[in-house]
Amino acid sequence: KQRIERSRAVVDKLVSGGDEAASAYGINTGFGFLADVRISARQIVELQYNLVRSHAAGVGPRLPIPTVRGMLLLRACTLSLGHSGVRLSVAQRLCELLNRRIHPCVPSKGSVGASGDLAPLAHLTLGLIGEGDVEVGLPGNVSAKTAAQAHDEAGLTPIVLAAKEGLALINGTQCMTSIGLLALADALDLCALADVIGAMSLEALLGTPRAFDPRIHAARPQPGQSISAQNLRALLHGSPIVESHKDCGKVQDPYSLRCMPQVHGATRDGLGYAKQVLLQESRSATDNPLIFVEPGDALDYDIVSGGNFHGQPVALALDFAGIATAELANISERRIEQLVNPHLSSGLPAFLVRESGLNSGYMIAQVTAAALVSENKILAHPASVDSIPSSVGREDHVSMGVHAADKLQRIVENVRTVLAIELCCAAQGISLRTPLLPATALSAVYRVVRSRVPEYTHDRPLYQEIEAVRTLCENGSLLAAARQHIELL
């Protein structure tokens, strides 16, 4: 609060100088290409409203409520650093909207990632000033209202913008960062799921866990690789299926089984890097200009124009995260191929169904997985290598950070579905190995799957069971089942 109030005092002091005050970007000047246009003191408040309204030019489907909540939180975080020059009430109102579950409607398209996420944040700001539309409640219980109506029903008065506050609210990377952090959280869960599901596929395929020997991974001490290998050892410990064929003479498995630690682990490390970048961004001042006040001396300050709104650090990290996450589906689809291919599956029937020929089994489920993997290859093309000038060339290099975030989110959804298809196939492979049983933790996962999807005996529409298992992958129940028996990292 003290930081916010100190920086606001600088803005108030500048504004009190009227038309004789020194020019300060965005406080008494225009924006972007119009930065050299001086604004009179009597028009400073109108300037802020004009900025917000004119920049609310987004299009496309609305961002989901969790993303908008993330934007509100992240914007409050950046204002709390005390470099933005807003009043305390503005930062508090962002928190108030979160607490009252009032979510401005924010179109998903319109940002190029510098000067930050202007259009999305302008739509977010409309909600603070009682304009535009909002959604009240949380997913599953949402009502659509105008922002003015929602404020009235909540007993709130819309914020009346003062000098610099419109600019301080729309200049930054909070849209790309919110989408990115939520997608990264899901992607990190997929790393653990990939270990669980891959281990079940290995059992169904009568694979060997020798490649997960800790000495191998100590000889190449990549952090994610070691974690994945540790998970796989724990998941397969004491497996009756593995015991049943340990003397079969098999030396090594195909890469999609043998190299799970190396591939899954590399994804973990890539996502860990992206997480570090985005968490750092969440506690950064990303608007412009920034106000620096010496503690204890309100007269010793500086107002500096810079480029912290540029989304390049986030965009690069999210592009990398998308590539890393896509690899989980790449290797998963190869395990699916092994499971359905009678030439590779160590004795399982073609397409994992008895009476194959009469029944097609999981034949087209593998095709669906292949389609999603191919789509991910398109989505993995980096957004951050693109740039398009805007604002009459003043904003001549941009990050496309929201595009990178959106692509990551779509890749995550595809990977989750591919892993769900693999799990359907792996569970069917386990069923076909009875009376042999999988390891304890994997037996628990298998039972959760079978609680929603019966063993495949005759052809049936597969879309329902894929969606049911996909839901199990998303809601945490599979990881929870495994963690009841082992420490899964």
Side-chain angles (χ1 to χ4, degrees):
K1 289 179 179 179
Q2 291 173 348
R3 288 196 300 266
I4 292 170
E5 288 170 343
R6 280 200 302 268
S7 69
R8 182 63 205 177
V10 170
V11 176
D12 289 339
K13 177 178 176 58
L14 184 72
V15 171
S16 69
D19 290 336
E20 304 304 316
S23 294
Y25 175 71
I27 299 176
N28 53 18
T29 74
F31 308 101
F33 177 76
L34 304 174
D36 296 328
V37 178
R38 179 64 184 249
I39 307 299
S40 71
R42 61 183 176 81
Q43 295 176 310
I44 282 178
V45 171
E46 181 183 359
L47 174 71
Q48 301 304 308
Y49 280 90
N50 287 348
L51 175 69
V52 172
R53 290 166 179 156
S54 67
H55 283 50
V59 296
R62 294 171 177 173
L63 292 173
I65 284 175
T67 299
V68 175
R69 290 182 66 78
M71 291 170 67
L72 290 166
L73 174 63
L74 292 168
R75 201 66 216 162
C77 286
T78 196
L79 297 183
S80 74
L81 295 174
H83 298 301
S84 300
V86 302
R87 292 164 297 160
L88 180 59
S89 59
V90 174
Q92 289 173 327
R93 179 55 55 86
L94 290 166
C95 299
E96 188 71 19
L97 292 187
L98 271 174
N99 294 337
R100 302 294 187 100
R101 299 175 179 178
I102 299 172
H103 311 113
C105 294
V106 181
S108 55
K109 299 181 186 297
S111 172
V112 293
S115 300
D117 299 322
L118 292 172
L121 289 170
H123 284 275
L124 192 80
T125 304
L126 282 180
L128 271 71
I129 63 175
E131 299 182 13
D133 298 315
V134 300
E135 293 178 310
V136 181
L138 294 177
N141 184 26
V142 176
S143 55
K145 303 179 187 293
T146 66
Q149 181 184 3
H151 274 80
D152 184 60
E153 292 178 0
L156 300 173
T157 302
I159 287 289
V160 177
L161 294 176
K164 195 183 181 296
E165 289 178 341
L167 180 60
L169 285 164
I170 74 167
N171 211 331
T173 60
Q174 284 67 47
C175 181
M176 67 179 80
T177 305
S178 179
I179 298 170
L181 280 169
L182 290 167
L184 276 173
D186 288 342
L188 287 164
D189 277 347
L190 293 181
C191 291
L193 269 173
D195 289 343
V196 171
I197 296 168
M200 187 176 287
S201 292
L202 182 139
E203 287 206 297
L205 290 164
L206 303 183
T208 173
R210 282 189 57 79
F212 313 141
D213 187 311
R215 293 170 296 181
I216 292 175
H217 305 286
R220 189 200 200 185
Q222 298 287 357
Q225 176 178 328
S226 296
I227 290 172
S228 185
Q230 183 176 336
N231 280 345
L232 290 163
R233 289 195 300 272
L235 287 160
L236 294 163
H237 179 72
S239 165
I241 293 179
V242 171
E243 270 306 297
S244 73
H245 63 89
K246 70 177 182 178
D247 298 322
C248 69
K250 180 182 283 190
V251 177
Q252 58 185 22
D253 294 310
Y255 290 178
S256 57
L257 295 175
R258 192 193 338 159
C259 299
M260 283 191 286
Q262 289 80 1
V263 177
H264 296 182
T267 295
R268 281 180 180 272
D269 289 341
L271 294 177
Y273 161 73
K275 177 182 174 182
Q276 179 184 5
V277 171
L278 266 70
L279 287 178
Q280 191 65 35
E281 190 75 2
S282 72
R283 48 180 177 261
S284 298
T286 57
D287 52 319
N288 178 57
L290 295 178
I291 298 169
F292 300 94
V293 187
E294 287 298 319
D297 188 356
L299 297 178
D300 189 359
Y301 67 84
D302 205 358
I303 302 175
V304 185
S305 287
N308 278 1
F309 49 70
H310 201 293
Q312 197 72 13
V314 176
L316 287 170
L318 293 178
D319 275 337
F320 185 24
I323 293 168
T325 305
E327 281 304 300
L328 295 178
N330 280 0
I331 194 171
S332 172
E333 186 275 331
R334 290 293 80 200
R335 293 193 293 263
I336 295 170
E337 168 65 14
Q338 286 190 66
L339 287 161
V340 301
N341 187 332
H343 302 296
L344 303 174
S345 63
S346 299
L348 294 173
F351 305 112
L352 297 167
V353 64
R354 296 182 177 93
E355 295 188 85
S356 52
L358 174 62
N359 295 290
S360 294
Y362 286 95
M363 177 191 294
I364 302 304
Q366 184 270 328
V367 174
T368 299
L372 295 176
V373 166
S374 292
E375 181 181 327
N376 279 351
K377 291 173 185 176
I378 298 169
L379 293 172
H381 179 84
S384 56
V385 299
D386 185 27
S387 181
I388 187 166
S390 56
S391 191
V392 198
R394 181 63 62 96
E395 298 163 9
D396 59 348
H397 182 277
V398 298
S399 73
M400 299 299 179
V402 168
H403 296 71
D406 175 67
K407 291 192 308 90
L408 172 60
Q409 196 169 49
R410 292 159 65 188
I411 288 170
V412 165
E413 295 301 318
N414 286 344
V415 171
R416 186 182 285 122
T417 303
V418 173
L419 288 173
I421 293 171
E422 183 188 352
L423 183 53
C424 289
C425 294
Q428 179 67 8
I430 294 295
S431 293
L432 292 168
R433 296 294 183 193
T434 53
L436 292 172
L437 297 173
T440 302
L442 295 175
S443 291
V445 173
Y446 173 81
R447 288 192 295 271
V448 173
V449 174
R450 284 286 172 258
S451 72
R452 299 294 302 275
V453 175
E455 182 180 347
Y456 199 121
T457 56
H458 297 88
D459 278 346
R460 63 196 184 206
L462 287 175
Y463 71 95
Q464 294 168 321
E465 72 179 75
I466 292 171
E467 183 56 34
V469 175
R470 188 186 182 285
T471 298
L472 295 176
C473 290
E474 187 172 15
N475 66 18
S477 56
L478 295 174
L479 294 179
R483 285 178 171 132
Q484 287 179 348
H485 301 279
I486 63 169
E487 183 182 357
L488 186 66
L489 302 176

